[in-house]
Amino acid sequence: MSDFYKVGNLIYDAEIYDGMNGFLSDLDFYQKWLSDHKDAKILELCCGTGRLTIPLAKAGLDIIGVDFTSTMLEHAKSKAKSEGLAIDFIEADMRSLNLPDSFDIIFIPFNSIHHLYTNADLSQTLAVVKKHLSPSGTFILDCFNPNIEFLVEGSKAQKTISEYTTKDGRDVLIKENMHYESDSQINRIEWHYFINGQFHSTQKLDMRMFFPKELDSRLEWNGFKIIRKFGSFEETQFDSASEKQIFICEPK
């Protein structure tokens, strides 16, 4: 059993990423919570192609985006420029980010912490957040609430999860296989890409599962107080049936 986990390069192809992830069902939630602080300095970690960064900046928020992947950031910069927006996009690993500024709000959206595969990865990232967050600041985080039945059933057979056409004209079909490693809490996901009707490649999308009490404790141990915890972007109360874990935190 390998302890090497990764995300495939094709998943970071900006047009393919945007084609699959064009929805904005979380935007109203983030806009509400980020707009609560007038003139706040905001830092988004794992901003990708600017899916949230750009509309939030268009709404007048002072926001900086950080991501590890240069191709995603180049696409984000291009999209921001086309909207007439001057947004700072920074290429960096959120586990070791070191900026000279502090921020009133820091958020990690879109299940991105599932790519922190070890406890050390998570602790390093939370230390970076704590270092860059103002003493009266707010830290917001969203991720999945692991569903054991889904993880078991998903391991039984390949299924089609997405079919779309990118803006640059590629017809994309994605089929998924997955296998959950209970010892590491890693869901080993393989996406089989078919582009323009032909098999292209198999790409990894490994994701670490964080269980509710585990993540509550990790946040507390790393210096955060959980103010609110929601089970959806509609701010429903978190319970065992919730698909999401959404945290509103402040530094202790």
Side-chain angles (χ1 to χ4, degrees), residues 6-66:
K6 64 176 289 187
V7 178
N9 291 332
L10 188 63
I11 293 167
Y12 288 139
D13 180 307
E15 291 289 355
I16 285 179
Y17 177 90
D18 275 359
M20 188 176 185
N21 300 300
F23 61 89
L24 289 169
S25 55
D26 49 354
L27 177 60
D28 287 347
F29 172 86
Y30 277 107
Q31 188 158 337
K32 172 193 168 183
W33 281 94
L34 272 56
S35 298
D36 273 355
H37 300 69
K38 186 179 180 182
D39 301 324
K41 289 179 61 178
I42 301 167
L43 179 65
E44 179 185 1
L45 299 177
C46 298
C47 67
T49 63
R51 184 183 66 88
L52 289 174
T53 330
I54 291 168
L56 290 170
K58 283 182 71 175
L61 300 180
D62 180 9
I63 187 168
I64 290 174
V66 171

Side-chain angles (χ1 to χ4, degrees), residues 5-187:
Y5 307 105
K6 64 176 289 187
V7 178
N9 291 332
L10 188 63
I11 293 167
Y12 288 139
D13 180 307
E15 291 289 355
I16 285 179
Y17 177 90
D18 275 359
M20 188 176 185
N21 300 300
F23 61 89
L24 289 169
S25 55
D26 49 354
L27 177 60
D28 287 347
F29 172 86
Y30 277 107
Q31 188 158 337
K32 172 193 168 183
W33 281 94
L34 272 56
S35 298
D36 273 355
H37 300 69
K38 186 179 180 182
D39 301 324
K41 289 179 61 178
I42 301 167
L43 179 65
E44 179 185 1
L45 299 177
C46 298
C47 67
T49 63
R51 184 183 66 88
L52 289 174
T53 330
I54 291 168
L56 290 170
K58 283 182 71 175
L61 300 180
D62 180 9
I63 187 168
I64 290 174
V66 171
D67 202 274
F68 183 71
T69 309
S70 59
T71 53
M72 304 283 264
L73 290 178
E74 288 305 312
H75 199 55
K77 291 173 184 176
S78 175
K79 292 196 296 184
K81 184 177 179 180
S82 71
E83 296 280 358
L85 297 169
I87 302 173
D88 239 349
F89 286 107
I90 298 170
E91 184 179 343
D93 187 328
M94 65 179 175
R95 295 170 298 180
S96 56
L97 180 69
N98 185 20
L99 299 177
D101 302 316
S102 63
F103 296 86
D104 303 297
I105 305 173
I106 299 176
F107 69 107
I108 307 176
F110 201 34
N111 310 305
S112 296
I113 70 158
H114 292 298
H115 301 302
L116 298 173
Y117 299 116
T118 69
N119 292 337
D121 290 335
L122 179 62
S123 293
Q124 289 165 7
T125 298
L126 293 177
V128 164
V129 172
K130 188 80 180 292
K131 174 183 176 180
H132 290 86
L133 192 62
S134 67
S136 59
T138 301
F139 173 44
I140 306 175
L141 168 69
D142 81 67
C143 65
F144 290 122
N145 180 24
N147 182 318
I148 297 298
E149 182 179 355
F150 170 80
L151 293 171
V152 171
E153 288 299 315
S155 300
K156 292 181 178 179
Q158 186 180 83
K159 62 182 179 180
T160 297
I161 60 163
S162 191
E163 191 169 2
Y164 57 92
T165 301
T166 63
K167 285 187 176 180
D168 58 7
R170 287 175 287 175
D171 293 325
V172 179
L173 171 68
I174 305 174
K175 296 184 178 182
E176 178 183 83
N177 290 98
M178 57 187 246
H179 171 70
Y180 178 62
E181 297 178 354
S182 58
D183 59 341
S184 63
Q185 297 179 202
I186 306 290
N187 192 21

Side-chain angles (χ1 to χ4, degrees), residues 196-209:
N196 296 330
Q198 300 292 320
F199 174 74
H200 179 277
S201 61
T202 298
Q203 302 281 310
K204 304 289 187 182
L205 185 67
D206 296 327
M207 300 183 78
R208 160 76 183 271
M209 297 293 104

